[in-house]
Amino acid sequence: RAAEWQLDQPAWSGRLRITAKGSTAFIKLEDKTSGELFAQAPVEQFPGIAVEGVTDSSRYFVIRIEDGNGRRAFIGVGFVDRGDAFDFNVALQDHFKWVRQQSELARQAQDLEQGPKLDLGFKEGQTIKLNIANMKKKEGGTGSTRPRPAGPGGLSLLPPPPGGKSGCGERPAPLSTPSQLPGTPITDSLLSWPQPTATPAADVWGDFAKASG
């Protein structure tokens, strides 16, 4: 609990900086003027024992400092501004998120290297055989297709009917005027579908209500 600390008389005040070397983050306490190192806490896992938050505040933490000779001590640190405490948390979280991503990528690369490799190359003396269909036109053969001449605009023209003769320069007979079918009006030479007889709305909904399926 930070309330049990002597917050009005801190033993030291200065600058806190976080650096990283490999997968380990270092919390460094430095003099705010000269930058001289006061203490540092290596963090190999977060959350973990190296950094723990107190139970009664979001601005105070307990960190485990080391002197490099095997000696360790737990000290309490706090931030005057709540935003700085938030940035402190986010910096540690981002670092160890990156560590997890790098570890996952390395594991995937190792799995690919250890997995079976496909040898798609040709062995010495190995050959392959390709069957290509005969595209030549066969005289009198069934299923043969004749290319249709392309008309204007890329449309294909139908071949003349069997037995039909057309001389050079002859014009086809004009089409006869389409006769009007009963109940089917003809407008601009286009046939339109007969218009349905209007029925009362009540009957239409009644049919829908009785329909099955």
Side-chain angles (χ1 to χ4, degrees):
R1 292 177 55 85
E4 300 174 357
W5 302 347
Q6 297 178 359
L7 300 179
D8 55 340
Q9 296 179 355
W12 179 87
S13 62
R15 178 179 64 188
L16 185 147
R17 190 162 59 97
I18 298 178
T19 62
K21 183 178 182 181
S23 61
T24 304
F26 293 89
I27 301 174
K28 295 187 176 184
L29 305 178
E30 302 173 343
D31 185 271
K32 58 184 176 181
T33 304
S34 63
E36 182 182 359
L37 181 65
F38 172 76
Q40 73 174 1
V43 184
E44 298 178 353
Q45 183 180 356
F46 183 78
I49 193 174
V51 182
E52 294 182 287
V54 300
T55 59
D56 58 343
S57 176
S58 61
R59 295 188 292 121
Y60 295 90
F61 304 86
V62 176
I63 65 175
R64 184 181 63 184
I65 60 175
E66 299 181 7
D67 63 353
N69 297 321
R71 293 187 301 177
R72 298 176 178 178
F74 291 90
I75 63 173
V77 296
F79 298 90
V80 177
D81 184 70
R82 196 176 304 275
D84 293 337
F86 176 80
D87 294 341
F88 173 75
N89 259 319
V90 170
L92 292 174
Q93 290 174 1
D94 287 348
H95 170 73
F96 287 99
K97 180 180 179 181
W98 173 82
V99 171
R100 289 190 297 269
Q101 291 175 348
Q102 294 300 315
S103 177
E104 180 66 18
L105 292 175
R107 186 186 64 81
Q108 293 178 0
Q110 184 177 5
D111 292 344
L112 291 176
E113 292 179 357
Q114 294 178 354
K117 297 182 179 180
L118 297 178
D119 186 7
L120 303 179
F122 286 99
K123 303 297 187 297
E124 184 177 357
Q126 183 179 4
T127 59
I128 60 174
K129 182 179 180 181
L130 299 178
N131 294 326
I132 303 178
N134 186 10
M135 303 302 295
K136 293 183 179 181
K137 179 180 177 181
K138 297 181 180 180
E139 295 293 337
T142 59
S144 61
T145 58
R146 178 182 302 174
R148 298 178 179 179
L155 299 178
S156 298
L157 302 180
L158 295 176
K165 297 182 180 179
S166 60
C168 179
E170 293 182 357
R171 299 178 59 186
L175 297 177
S176 59
T177 305
S179 59
Q180 182 174 359
L181 301 178
T184 307
I186 299 178
T187 305
D188 295 338
S189 299
L190 296 177
L191 296 179
S192 60
W193 294 102
Q195 299 297 325
T197 306
T199 56
D203 295 339
V204 173
W205 291 110
D207 293 340
F208 289 158
K210 295 177 183 179
S212 61

